[in-house]
Amino acid sequence: MAAVVLAATRLLRGPGSWGGARLRFGAPACRQFSSGGAYPSIPLSSPLPGVPTPVFATVDGQEKFETKITTLDNGLRVASQNKFGQFCTVGILINSGSRYEAKYLSGIAHFLEKLAFSSTDRFDSKDEILLTLEKHGGICDCQTSRDTTMYAVSADSKGLDTVVGLLADVVLHPRLTDEELEMTRMAVQFELEDLNMRPDPEPLLTEMIHEAAYRGNTVGLHRFCPTENVAKIDREVLHSYLRNYYTPDRMVLAAVGVEHSHLVECARKYLLGTRPAWGSGKAVDVDRSVAQYTGGIVKLERDMSNVSLGPAPFPELTHIMIGLESCSFLEGDFIPFAVLNMMMGGGGSFSAGGPGKGMFTRLYLNVLNRHHWMYNATSYHHSYEDTGLLCIHASADPRQVREMVEIITKEFILMAGTVDEVELERAKTQLMSMLMMNLESRPVIFEDVGRQVLATCSRKLPQELCALIRNVKPEDIKRVASQMLRRKPAVAALGDLTDLPTYEHVQAALSSKDGRLPRTHRLFR
């Protein structure tokens, strides 16, 4: 546009108009702005005559597209959240996972995760499934946790019918061929070897702390397949498990970015009245056990001096995780516990800092900033439908394990002490910020919708959760922390454990007023 104006000016002024003299000494040029000619006398603060009144977007804190839920005749729930955009995320969430494997070979859920999106009655191979999704710009994924299995697809909204049909086939009609089972055994074996070799011990410690906290029951059962079970899991074992746990009443078809009526129509077409590959017999052996918190200790002595994957040596560290029972996500105290976890925060000893890094959380201010020899101090909160676990993971040189454990037990005791208003407000603001930022992502909204509907048959909207977070008071933090400290601790330890205090000493420290470990007197050091 600018080039056109310049060319027109040159034609009007003649061949010499580009010269500097004429422009410099001639009559001053008058630039006609778009608002100057048509409405010369109307100030910018007044609306223009003849122009429609603009309608501006307003923020009232309410979601215009609420989560819609429909229950089909077979008990399957269909939940959707509308969202602008060309793409949608659709998936099936199932109330199934390692916590339900008490009567089966441990590791079935791990196997099913690796077998997902393999050949089915309609699709001869995984490649055929991926090619079908590619026609709609789609990708697929399957994830299992201790209590939920999730099959998900992100694709163009126009391909919703194809996607729901594909998901139904993957979930209800897998072939589970001998070749696929053998490939899965190799994948599981590789993952187990990688778990034991990786420098980051957090996944292994999480397994160990659950095993210590819920000894031999529900969420304390192994999430990863034990090595001795890899060769034992076959089609018959998988079908016996699927028959009991892959039933419509334990499933939710969730979607984000689609019309609810269209989703329900697709669900009726592909998920109502269909006979699964393992037969249509009724589930007769469903485990409805409630999690029993036991407390205890799980130790794994290991040489951690050679975990570095590169030429630079990695310092030898001993890793400790101490946990206490909190509450389930269905209880009212779940929000205060979430705020407490955010208030503890923490992380690694190296951090670039900056907004949102938690540099003002307690585990940074009281632990990492004061004890230079500690490499890590991080708070975690695991919550399930019938229990929860708040734990702190710490890492240090093996010679300073005892001091490290005492520092962590002191932090647990301080949770039930005075809560500063400023740190509480900061933790609440950070939690709300993380919640809202995560819910900007379509796949995260999908998982939130699916998990909430699976657990409660409803969904709390973000503004409801933010209101609950704002209402948390210092006395709420003190109350939940005091209740938590009455429980027996769960302890997981990995590495050189020569100087690890006994479980009884850790328990005594968490029962004391100051969190100090009982003094030990040795004749020889």
Side-chain angles (χ1 to χ4, degrees):
M1 184 67 185
V4 173
V5 172
L6 286 170
T9 306
R10 184 179 179 185
L11 287 170
L12 288 170
R13 291 187 178 176
S17 60
W18 292 114
R22 182 169 298 189
L23 287 174
R24 190 175 302 153
F25 302 113
C30 179
R31 290 185 63 188
Q32 294 292 326
F33 293 97
S34 58
S35 60
Y39 305 101
S41 60
I42 298 174
L44 293 175
S45 57
S46 302
L48 298 175
V51 176
T53 305
V55 179
F56 297 102
T58 58
V59 179
D60 57 5
Q62 298 293 318
E63 284 195 28
K64 296 301 179 187
F65 301 106
E66 293 185 0
T67 305
K68 296 180 180 178
I69 303 168
T70 300
T71 304
L72 302 186
D73 296 340
N74 60 358
L76 184 137
R77 285 153 286 176
V78 182
S80 73
Q81 179 91 13
N82 209 339
K83 184 178 171 67
F84 290 114
Q86 180 183 353
F87 284 82
C88 64
T89 300
V90 189
I92 295 176
L93 292 91
I94 307 164
N95 207 352
S96 156
S98 59
R99 70 169 293 164
Y100 300 107
E101 293 175 0
K103 299 177 182 178
Y104 297 88
L105 285 171
S106 182
I108 290 176
H110 192 187
F111 257 70
L112 290 173
E113 179 184 48
K114 302 301 174 193
L115 282 163
F117 295 97
S118 296
S119 65
T120 69
D121 286 355
R122 286 173 51 210
F123 301 96
D124 291 332
S125 66
K126 190 167 194 166
D127 288 344
E128 195 173 327
I129 289 175
L130 296 178
L131 285 170
T132 303
L133 288 176
E134 277 183 17
K135 293 175 184 174
H136 301 282
I139 55 173
C140 61
D141 186 31
C142 177
Q143 296 176 9
T144 59
S145 62
R146 286 180 163 78
D147 56 358
T148 308
T149 302
M150 180 175 69
Y151 298 80
V153 170
S154 287
D156 194 305
S157 303
K158 294 175 183 174
L160 180 63
D161 188 275
T162 303
V163 167
V164 174
L166 186 148
L167 280 166
D169 217 40
V170 164
V171 172
L172 298 175
H173 305 108
R175 284 184 181 170
L176 306 178
T177 64
D178 293 338
E179 184 183 358
E180 288 168 351
L181 287 168
E182 195 54 44
M183 290 292 289
T184 300
R185 290 189 186 101
M186 292 170 61
V188 168
Q189 191 68 49
F190 174 81
E191 193 165 331
L192 293 176
E193 291 172 7
D194 178 65
L195 186 69
N196 290 315
M197 290 170 57
R198 60 194 300 173
D200 173 26
E202 197 269 326
L204 186 57
L205 278 169
T206 302
E207 280 291 290
M208 293 167 65
I209 196 73
H210 279 82
E211 186 183 346
Y214 305 93
R215 183 76 68 173
N217 74 90
T218 57
V219 293
L221 301 176
H222 291 287
R223 193 168 78 84
F224 297 102
C225 180
T227 307
E228 63 270 18
N229 287 352
V230 172
K232 297 177 184 176
I233 295 176
D234 55 19
R235 190 187 301 106
E236 188 178 340
V237 171
L238 293 172
H239 275 185
S240 67
Y241 177 86
L242 292 167
R243 191 174 295 113
N244 284 317
Y245 292 99
Y246 275 43
T247 55
D249 57 302
R250 300 176 68 87
M251 295 182 185
V252 169
L253 173 66
V256 175
V258 302
E259 289 292 336
H260 186 71
S261 56
H262 190 193
L263 183 66
V264 172
E265 182 185 323
C266 293
R268 288 201 172 103
K269 180 178 178 182
Y270 295 108
L271 291 163
L272 192 62
T274 182
R275 178 186 170 86
W278 46 87
S280 56
K282 282 191 117 181
V284 293
D285 203 15
V286 176
D287 186 356
R288 304 190 189 278
S289 303
V290 176
Q292 301 296 317
Y293 181 84
T294 60
I297 185 168
V298 172
K299 297 188 287 187
L300 183 56
E301 288 264 7
R302 178 176 289 175
D303 180 11
M304 305 288 283
S305 60
N306 58 350
V307 295
S308 177
L309 300 178
F314 198 80
E316 182 182 359
L317 300 175
T318 294
H319 304 275
I320 305 294
M321 193 177 272
I322 300 175
L324 291 164
E325 187 181 24
S326 57
C327 71
S328 84
F329 56 69
L330 299 175
E331 296 177 48
D333 284 342
F334 170 67
I335 298 295
F337 269 115
V339 174
L340 173 61
N341 178 57
M342 192 61 63
M343 196 168 74
M344 297 307 295
S349 58
F350 173 79
S351 175
K357 291 291 181 67
M359 301 299 284
F360 288 96
T361 56
R362 284 191 180 185
L363 291 180
Y364 264 113
L365 295 176
N366 301 347
V367 179
L368 294 171
N369 290 358
R370 294 185 184 181
H371 307 284
H372 66 89
W373 44 268
M374 285 192 68
Y375 281 79
N376 181 43
T378 311
S379 176
Y380 297 95
H381 188 214
H382 306 278
S383 198
Y384 306 97
E385 65 180 5
D386 50 3
T387 187
L389 191 65
L390 183 79
C391 42
I392 295 177
H393 167 212
S395 306
D397 186 277
R399 293 165 293 184
Q400 291 168 303
V401 168
R402 184 178 177 84
E403 192 177 351
M404 172 175 67
V405 171
E406 186 170 83
I407 288 166
I408 298 306
T409 54
K410 285 180 179 177
E411 286 304 312
F412 269 109
I413 296 298
L414 288 172
M415 289 181 190
T418 304
V419 179
D420 183 63
E421 286 280 0
V422 174
E423 70 171 345
L424 179 62
E425 285 304 313
R426 185 184 291 118
K428 287 156 63 174
T429 302
Q430 190 174 359
L431 182 59
M432 288 187 287
S433 171
M434 287 179 64
L435 173 70
M436 300 310 292
M437 286 179 69
N438 284 331
L439 289 173
E440 289 285 317
S441 167
R442 188 184 64 251
V444 175
I445 300 173
F446 154 76
E447 189 170 345
D448 181 52
V449 170
R451 285 183 180 275
Q452 286 201 51
V453 173
L454 190 64
T456 66
C457 297
S458 62
R459 185 195 177 212
K460 279 185 178 172
L461 296 177
Q463 62 266 22
E464 296 177 65
L465 294 172
C466 286
L468 292 171
I469 294 168
R470 288 192 198 96
N471 290 335
V472 174
K473 304 289 190 294
E475 50 268 28
D476 295 325
I477 301 294
K478 191 171 181 178
R479 175 176 52 80
V480 298
S482 299
Q483 289 174 359
M484 180 177 67
L485 286 166
R486 297 192 195 110
R487 299 281 190 171
K488 289 172 63 178
V491 181
L494 174 67
D496 182 350
L497 309 179
T498 307
D499 292 333
L500 178 71
T502 64
Y503 177 76
E504 289 72 25
H505 281 190
V506 175
Q507 191 172 2
L510 289 169
S511 302
S512 66
K513 290 183 178 180
D514 56 4
R516 289 181 180 275
L517 290 166
R519 297 300 98 186
T520 56
H521 304 284
R522 298 190 207 175
L523 198 56
F524 302 103
R525 291 188 68 84

